[in-house]
Amino acid sequence: MGAGKRSLTTVTMALACAAAIMAAPGVAYADPTPSPAPRPPASTPASTKDLEAIRKRLDKLYHDAAVATDAYNAAEEQADKQSAQIVELARAIVQGQAKLDKLKDRAGAAARAQYRSGGLPPEAELMLSDNPQQYLDGAGRVRQGERATKSLLAELARTQKDLKQYAKDASAQWQKLESNRKAKAEAKKKVKKQIAAAEKLESELEKDEKERLAELEREAAAKAQTAWLDSGVLDDVKGEATAAGKKAVEYATEQLGKQYEWGAEGPKTFDCSGLTLQAWAAAGQAIPRTSQEQWKQLDRVDIKDMRPGDLIIYNPDASHVAMYIGDGAIIHAPRPGRTVTVAGAGSMPILGVVRPAA
């Protein structure tokens, strides 16, 4: 709440207390000369110090929202993978059951054929045979049949074992899926809570205070960018974009002006990692969904070796990502209430640089 609004509340409470004291029994007061009703004091603008504290508070809230967004995106990605795995396992179970049914039919037919062949010992059958050679030929075929039956039974056992494993794996995937659904729901609540707190804080500012706050944000970003450039960090950066990097930068550039939306991967809205994900997908390269996984899984490069299309990861917890486009600039989806924009690469605390393409 603005300082002016707080002072108005204080005055109102003081007047109420004074009225209560004057109305207390046993206390006499002279009837004062009537005077005009008090007017609320003019709203006092928040000081620069107050606005700077608000700016830092907003940064913290939106940072926490970004962390929760990464958790949401990770849970969603895992849930999608597990759903796909469950579908594959279900397909394998159906196919395995059909195979098992066929094997059982064949095993049953083999058992019936063996039963019909009689139960005499081989020596007796040889002695009673009119044609010993024919018997021996037949005995060879019988041995082949026995080996085939044994192989059939072994395959039957393997198929039954596979089906049990498929069912066990499907059950495990269902449990993981349910766990990730809960994680996704919890992360969603955290995102909404942080964004709601930030929006409430901003809504309590007067129009001119919001303008001054925006100016403070620009000044802080410009100061950080200037310090980064003055450090000479870009003096040796001469990397040129690859064909894939150019396509990724081109895609990101085409999204300028589109709204940030947490959990979004386009085409109308994006969050920070959703933008980099789709930019590199347009260049024919699949990369992880979240900024944290992009930091973990992609090849890391020194800042002096970076080139347009590389991804710059920000904050110690890798909670933000942007695409480097050259000349010390980035394209990124900043936060709720902002649009995809160009900014200075050093305007935020850099964790490191990663490269999607080899």
Side-chain angles (χ1 to χ4, degrees), residues 224-225 228-229 234 306 312 314 322-330 343-350:
Q225 175 72 356
W228 186 66
L229 293 174
L234 293 184
M306 70 180 176
I312 300 182
Y314 292 95
M323 178 171 290
Y324 184 63
I325 59 174
D327 296 325
I330 55 170
S347 59
M348 297 170 284
I350 295 175

Side-chain angles (χ1 to χ4, degrees), residues 152-193:
L152 175 64
L153 293 175
E155 188 175 2
L156 187 66
R158 284 195 303 271
T159 302
Q160 288 175 322
K161 184 179 179 181
D162 288 345
L163 278 173
K164 287 182 180 178
Q165 188 61 47
Y166 292 153
K168 184 179 179 181
D169 290 346
S171 176
Q173 291 301 331
W174 272 114
Q175 291 176 1
K176 289 180 181 178
L177 180 62
E178 184 60 24
S179 175
N180 276 299
R181 281 175 176 164
K182 289 179 180 177
K184 181 178 169 181
E186 185 62 28
K188 184 176 182 178
K189 287 197 315 189
K190 287 182 180 179
V191 174
K192 289 189 171 184
K193 179 181 178 181

Side-chain angles (χ1 to χ4, degrees), residues 220-233 346-347:
K223 183 178 179 181
Q225 175 72 356
T226 300
W228 186 66
L229 293 174
D230 288 348
S231 70
V233 68
S347 59

Side-chain angles (χ1 to χ4, degrees), residues 52-339:
E52 182 60 23
I54 290 172
R55 183 187 71 79
K56 291 180 178 178
R57 174 65 178 152
L58 285 171
D59 282 349
K60 175 71 166 56
L61 288 169
Y62 283 122
H63 167 268
D64 291 348
V67 173
T69 298
D70 248 16
Y72 174 90
N73 290 337
E76 183 176 50
E77 184 178 38
Q78 287 301 313
D80 288 344
K81 288 180 180 178
Q82 282 144 14
S83 295
Q85 288 170 346
I86 288 170
V87 170
E88 287 301 314
L89 285 167
R91 185 178 291 115
I93 289 171
V94 170
Q95 292 172 347
Q97 189 61 55
K99 180 181 178 181
L100 185 63
D101 292 341
K102 288 181 180 178
L103 289 171
K104 285 181 177 179
D105 288 343
R106 286 171 57 195
R112 289 191 295 273
Q114 189 174 9
Y115 175 78
R116 288 194 298 270
S117 70
L120 287 174
E123 298 84 354
E125 291 187 18
L126 177 59
M127 291 175 65
L128 295 172
S129 175
D130 294 333
N131 188 336
Q133 185 59 47
Q134 186 179 17
Y135 168 79
L136 292 173
D137 292 342
R141 287 193 295 272
V142 169
R143 284 194 296 274
Q144 290 176 354
E146 287 174 349
R147 286 195 294 270
T149 300
K150 189 179 290 185
S151 176
L152 175 64
L153 293 175
E155 188 175 2
L156 187 66
R158 284 195 303 271
T159 302
Q160 288 175 322
K161 184 179 179 181
D162 288 345
L163 278 173
K164 287 182 180 178
Q165 188 61 47
Y166 292 153
K168 184 179 179 181
D169 290 346
S171 176
Q173 291 301 331
W174 272 114
Q175 291 176 1
K176 289 180 181 178
L177 180 62
E178 184 60 24
S179 175
N180 276 299
R181 281 175 176 164
K182 289 179 180 177
K184 181 178 169 181
E186 185 62 28
K188 184 176 182 178
K189 287 197 315 189
K190 287 182 180 179
V191 174
K192 289 189 171 184
K193 179 181 178 181
Q194 299 298 333
I195 292 176
E199 289 176 343
K200 183 176 185 298
L201 185 59
E202 289 183 291
S203 71
E204 292 172 346
L205 298 174
E206 303 292 346
K207 181 180 178 182
D208 65 320
E209 291 173 335
K210 290 179 181 178
E211 292 172 352
R212 289 169 57 211
L213 178 64
E215 182 60 31
L216 284 176
E217 291 176 349
R218 288 190 291 271
E219 288 176 1
K223 183 178 179 181
Q225 175 72 356
T226 300
W228 186 66
L229 293 174
D230 288 348
S231 70
V233 68
L234 293 184
D235 291 351
D236 297 324
V237 176
K238 299 179 178 64
E240 294 185 3
T242 61
K246 288 178 181 177
K247 288 181 181 179
V249 170
E250 182 180 347
Y251 179 92
T253 303
E254 290 171 352
Q255 314 315 311
L256 289 171
K258 291 186 177 180
Q259 285 290 328
Y260 176 102
E261 181 182 4
W262 67 270
E265 300 176 15
K268 294 182 179 179
T269 56
F270 296 88
D271 64 19
C272 67
S273 56
L275 176 63
T276 55
L277 173 82
Q278 293 300 342
W280 272 100
Q285 180 76 23
I287 64 173
R289 172 62 179 90
T290 69
S291 59
Q292 292 174 344
E293 288 304 310
Q294 289 171 6
W295 172 243
K296 289 178 184 177
Q297 296 185 35
L298 299 180
D299 293 337
R300 299 182 186 181
V301 297
D302 290 336
I303 289 181
K304 64 182 178 59
D305 297 322
M306 70 180 176
R307 60 195 186 200
D310 287 347
L311 305 181
I312 300 182
I313 308 296
Y314 292 95
N315 303 321
D317 53 8
S319 55
H320 190 68
V321 60
M323 178 171 290
Y324 184 63
I325 59 174
D327 296 325
I330 55 170
I331 289 178
H332 71 144
R335 64 168 177 80
R338 299 288 190 266
T339 61

